[in-house]
Amino acid sequence: MTSSRRWRPIRAASIGDPERRITRLGPLDGADATTLSFLANPRYRSQLAGTAAGCVIVAPALAEEAARERAVIRCADPYLCFARLTQWWARQQRPAHTPGIHPSAVVDPSAEVHPEAHVGPLVVIEAGATVGAGAWLGPHVHLGAGAGVGEGTRLLSRVTLAERCRIGARGIVHAGVVIGADGFGFAPDQGRWEKIEQLGAVRIGDDVELGANTCIDRGALGDTVIEDGVKFDNLIQIAHNVRVGAHTAMAACAGVAGSSTIGAHCTFGGGAVVLGHLRIADRVNVSAFTVITRSIREPGHYSGVYPFDDNAAWEKNAATLRQLHGLRDRLRALERGAADKNTP
C-alpha cells in the first residue's frame, strides 16, 4: 500500500496589488483588510459585497466582480486552492521539526528510530518497532512491539499503535487514537462469555488521517486494513477484520461492524452505521445516521432513518415500507381506471 502523493497542479492568476499584506486566513464574514478568504459556491456571491477581506480566491466567472475593491486570486477550483493554501500556512505556523529523542522517552534497544524522526516526551517504543524518517511522535505516544510508523507520519499526543500494527507514510493521527485494540469477539458458554483472542493486526496505508479518539480494532485472524488516502473524523469505530477502500471518508461517530468491506471513494455522514459481514461497492455515499443492514452492490446515494420498535413489528413495517412505491403506483392506476369508467 505504498504510494507517493501526486497533486494535480492548480493554475491561478492574481489580480490587484502584489504588495498587499496578508496576515491571516479566514471566512468572508468577519474578515478585515489583512485577511485572505475564498468563495467557492456562487450562491454566496452576495457576501462579496459585505466582506472587508483584502484578498479573495474566486472562480474566473467572479474575478471581475471580486476585484473591484480588493486583490483576487483567480482559479478554476477555489475550494481546492484554499485547501492547499491552508496546508502551506500551517507548515509556516507549526513549530520546526526537531529530530531526536526526548530524554524522558523510553526506547527499546531493538527498536529502529530514524535519526530524522522526532520522539517527544514520555513516548514508549517497544521492541522491534520502527519509526521512519521525518516521523513525529507527540507526548505519551505508545508504539507496541513490532509496530511501524512510516516516513513523515505525525502521531499526536496519547496515540497508541499496538503491537504489530503499522501505518504508512505522511499520515496524521490525532490525539487519543487507539490502533490495534482487541476486536469484540466472545463465544457464549452456558451464560458466560469466553474470549476469542484477536491474533491479527491493523495495516494502514499512506496519506491517511484519523480523527481524535478514533478506534481501529485488530483482526481476529487476518488483519484489519485501511487503504491509502482514507480520512476519518473524530470518534470513528472500525471493528475487527474490516477493510476500508482507498480515499473513503467518514464523518464523526460513524461505525463499521466486524468483517465488513467498504469500497473506495465512499463517504459516510456522521453517525452512519454499517452492520457486520456486508460489502459496500465503490463510490457509495451514505447519509448521516443511516444504518446499512444489507450489502450495497451499486454506486449511489443511500439514506434511511427509521424509528425503533419491537423487532417483529419493525421487520413487518420495514417489509411493508419497501412496497409503498409499488402500492402507490397500483393505487394511482386504480384511480385512473375508476375515473375513466365515470367519464361520460
Side-chain angles (χ1 to χ4, degrees):
M1 292 192 299
T2 59
S3 70
S4 297
R5 176 183 291 169
R6 292 181 174 87
W7 277 348
R8 175 173 57 85
I10 296 176
R11 297 183 181 275
S14 61
I15 304 171
D17 180 8
E19 300 301 319
R20 181 182 290 271
R21 181 172 176 79
I22 297 296
T23 61
R24 62 186 289 264
L25 305 182
L28 292 170
D29 183 23
D32 59 26
T34 66
T35 303
L36 191 155
S37 192
F38 75 101
L39 179 63
N41 192 328
R43 288 186 300 176
Y44 303 117
R45 67 189 302 167
S46 61
Q47 295 183 12
L48 284 174
T51 186
C55 183
V56 180
I57 303 171
V58 296
L62 295 175
E64 183 177 348
E65 178 182 345
R68 291 171 188 164
E69 299 182 23
R70 63 190 58 81
V72 164
I73 297 174
R74 183 185 63 201
C75 64
D77 191 337
Y79 196 51
L80 178 60
C81 184
F82 190 75
R84 300 267 179 87
L85 178 60
T86 63
Q87 294 175 27
W88 176 85
W89 194 276
R91 287 196 295 271
Q92 315 313 307
Q93 306 300 317
R94 190 176 295 140
H97 179 92
T98 53
I101 300 174
H102 192 274
S104 66
V106 178
V107 181
D108 189 275
S110 66
E112 298 181 12
V113 179
H114 194 280
E116 293 300 314
H118 169 90
V119 178
L122 303 174
V123 170
V124 174
I125 303 177
E126 297 188 7
T130 60
V131 181
W136 192 93
L137 308 186
H140 294 274
V141 165
H142 181 193
L143 302 188
V149 178
E151 295 183 6
T153 287
R154 299 174 61 231
L155 273 57
L156 279 69
S157 60
R158 297 177 290 103
V159 168
T160 296
L161 187 65
E163 63 274 12
R164 296 180 288 107
C165 297
R166 309 188 70 82
I167 183 170
R170 301 177 301 278
I172 302 174
V173 183
H174 291 276
V177 168
V178 177
I179 301 169
D182 278 357
F184 192 68
F186 299 90
D189 178 23
Q190 299 180 8
R192 300 174 64 255
W193 296 103
E194 195 72 28
K195 182 176 178 61
I196 301 171
E197 292 292 345
Q198 305 292 288
L199 305 178
V202 177
R203 289 184 289 123
I204 300 175
D206 298 337
D207 303 308
V208 169
E209 182 161 354
L210 305 176
N213 294 321
T214 284
C215 294
I216 303 176
D217 292 344
R218 66 175 58 249
L221 296 175
D223 294 341
T224 302
V225 177
I226 310 297
E227 296 186 2
D228 295 341
V230 167
K231 310 299 182 187
F232 286 165
D233 197 356
N234 302 332
L235 295 166
I236 302 294
Q237 164 63 27
I238 303 296
H240 56 191
N241 296 107
V242 166
R243 187 178 193 101
V244 179
H247 306 290
T248 282
M250 295 186 182
C253 299
V256 183
S259 299
S260 283
T261 298
I262 310 297
H265 300 281
C266 295
T267 61
F268 291 78
V273 172
V274 179
L275 300 189
H277 300 272
L278 302 182
R279 298 187 67 87
I280 308 300
D282 294 346
R283 301 187 183 279
V284 165
N285 308 121
V286 177
S287 296
F289 297 104
T290 296
V291 180
I292 302 300
T293 59
R294 55 186 171 82
S295 293
I296 299 176
R297 309 294 183 183
E298 299 293 334
H301 191 172
Y302 296 83
S303 304
V305 179
Y306 200 92
F308 79 92
D309 199 350
D310 169 80
N311 186 72
W314 185 92
E315 288 184 347
K316 291 176 182 177
N317 289 332
T320 302
L321 187 64
R322 292 195 194 102
Q323 302 175 47
L324 282 180
H325 184 77
L327 290 172
R328 183 191 66 175
D329 290 344
R330 289 169 59 189
L331 179 58
R332 285 180 174 175
L334 289 170
E335 288 174 341
R336 283 196 297 268
D340 291 342
K341 289 181 180 179
N342 294 327
T343 301

